[in-house]
Amino acid sequence: MDTMRERFLDVTTRLLDDDPRLAVVLADISAAGFAPAAERHPDRVVNVGIREQLLIGAAGGLALAGMRPIAHTFASFLIERPFEQVKLDLVHQGVGAVLVSAAGSYDWPAGGRTHMAPGDVALLDTLPDWTVHVPGHPDEAEQLLRHAVADGDRNVYVRLSEHRNTAAVPVEAGRFTVVRRGSKGLVLAVGPMLDAVLAATEGLDVSVLYAATVRPFDAAGLRAAVHGRADVVLVEPYLAGTSAGEAHAALVDRPHRVLALGVPREEHRHYGSIAEHLTAYGLDAAALRERIGTFLW
């Protein structure tokens, strides 16, 4: 069973063979995985070394030259470290790239704080017109990656994770998917949080929506799924509250409440497994059931 990152390597390698406009820019991470592609396309697989600002700058230059660049490294090195280049070399220049990350909020705890980026999506929210995909399964990652590459010249962030759901959901880029219908509230599960949300809400009279694309936020989909007073719980695999403003804006003309769950701002300095971090953050199924139930009843 492959991971999202392994699927990304395989699909992108094949896309490079098919699309002469596509280029990949690396900062050492995954360079070995792209070695066969680099042999076939040495001018379109560029490894700049451990220079993340140059990674984004090179992607911006390729985009200015008419290419469709994919820039890839860990989330903390792709969004946080070179954020000024993301702001200026892509957005300010009016060009687009596909940024594909790995090791998101808690994927490699042994790497310590330097390899954790729970604030990446919130940081991109300070910039205009980004599409953000958060797949929960390798099949979704492939579908959304292909969509991102073909998405004109837009800026797209594809957030990959070792944390994943057991099964893929039939997703449509930019649209939430109704997974379960109920009448006492709604839980919006983002990407790899779906399995825990489904386990946490088993037997509860609540609707469950699934989001593999969080920006643009599917306001119409959220509105269509709520009835009467809207009690909404957001469960996101990154900084708690990242999408709270979007949910409030979607329901601004209706009485509503929003509970935003996700990774807390407080730093956990004991670096265990993914499962241990989810438990520490209150994002495992048992903790989610208690927090959702307390909010809704």
Side-chain angles (χ1 to χ4, degrees):
M1 184 180 297
D2 59 352
T3 65
M4 294 189 211
R5 187 176 172 192
E6 289 168 342
R7 185 71 64 88
F8 159 68
L9 293 173
D10 177 62
V11 171
T12 304
T13 294
R14 287 185 276 123
L15 287 172
L16 281 163
D17 292 336
D18 297 336
D19 185 354
R21 185 170 173 255
L22 191 66
V24 172
V25 190
L26 306 169
D28 268 4
I29 301 301
S30 298
F34 278 110
E39 290 183 3
R40 294 196 299 274
H41 311 289
D43 56 337
R44 291 192 288 122
V45 179
V46 181
N47 182 9
V48 302
I50 307 175
R51 301 174 179 86
E52 286 81 8
Q53 289 88 350
L54 178 58
L55 171 77
I56 301 300
L62 288 166
L64 283 169
M67 304 291 286
R68 183 60 166 159
I70 297 176
H72 167 67
T73 185
F74 292 160
S76 55
F77 307 146
L78 184 64
I79 304 298
E80 293 181 335
R81 182 172 292 175
F83 182 70
E84 184 178 14
Q85 282 67 43
V86 173
K87 180 178 71 174
L88 298 179
D89 295 355
L90 297 178
V91 178
H92 182 64
Q93 291 293 333
V95 296
V98 180
L99 308 187
V100 180
S101 70
S105 301
Y106 40 69
D107 282 20
W108 188 26
R113 185 65 172 174
T114 56
H115 289 71
M116 298 179 176
D120 54 349
V121 178
L123 195 56
L124 283 180
D125 271 347
T126 66
L127 301 175
D129 300 327
W130 276 83
T131 296
V132 178
H133 300 306
V134 187
H137 187 275
D139 290 353
E140 299 166 17
E142 176 173 349
Q143 178 183 340
L144 295 170
L145 173 65
R146 290 180 179 276
H147 185 276
V149 169
D151 194 11
D153 292 306
R154 292 185 59 82
N155 280 309
V156 183
Y157 180 40
V158 183
R159 192 183 202 266
L160 305 183
S161 179
E162 294 292 321
H163 183 200
R164 54 172 287 178
N165 300 315
T166 304
V169 174
V171 297
E172 179 183 353
R175 297 288 182 267
F176 298 159
T177 303
V178 178
V179 178
R180 184 182 291 163
R181 295 188 185 274
S183 62
K184 303 299 184 182
L186 181 146
V187 184
L188 175 62
V190 174
M193 298 311 307
L194 180 61
D195 276 4
V197 165
L198 289 175
T201 57
E202 183 67 33
L204 302 181
D205 186 16
V206 298
S207 294
V208 175
L209 281 185
Y210 178 60
T213 301
V214 293
R215 300 292 181 275
F217 189 86
D218 184 11
L222 179 63
R223 289 174 61 87
V226 299
H227 307 282
R229 180 181 177 90
D231 291 329
V232 175
V233 181
L234 303 176
V235 185
E236 301 180 276
Y238 35 77
L239 193 65
T242 297
S243 295
E246 298 284 348
H248 283 301
L251 301 170
V252 67
D253 60 339
R254 302 185 186 186
H256 69 276
R257 298 186 302 152
V258 174
L259 174 65
L261 305 179
V263 180
R265 285 176 171 77
E266 294 77 19
E267 181 179 347
H268 288 253
R269 294 175 180 267
H270 297 282
Y271 302 112
S273 65
I274 289 177
E276 287 171 328
H277 274 262
L278 290 169
T279 297
Y281 301 150
L283 295 177
D284 61 350
L288 286 174
R289 188 175 183 88
E290 180 179 355
R291 298 171 82 182
I292 291 168
T294 299
F295 177 70
L296 294 178
W297 286 280

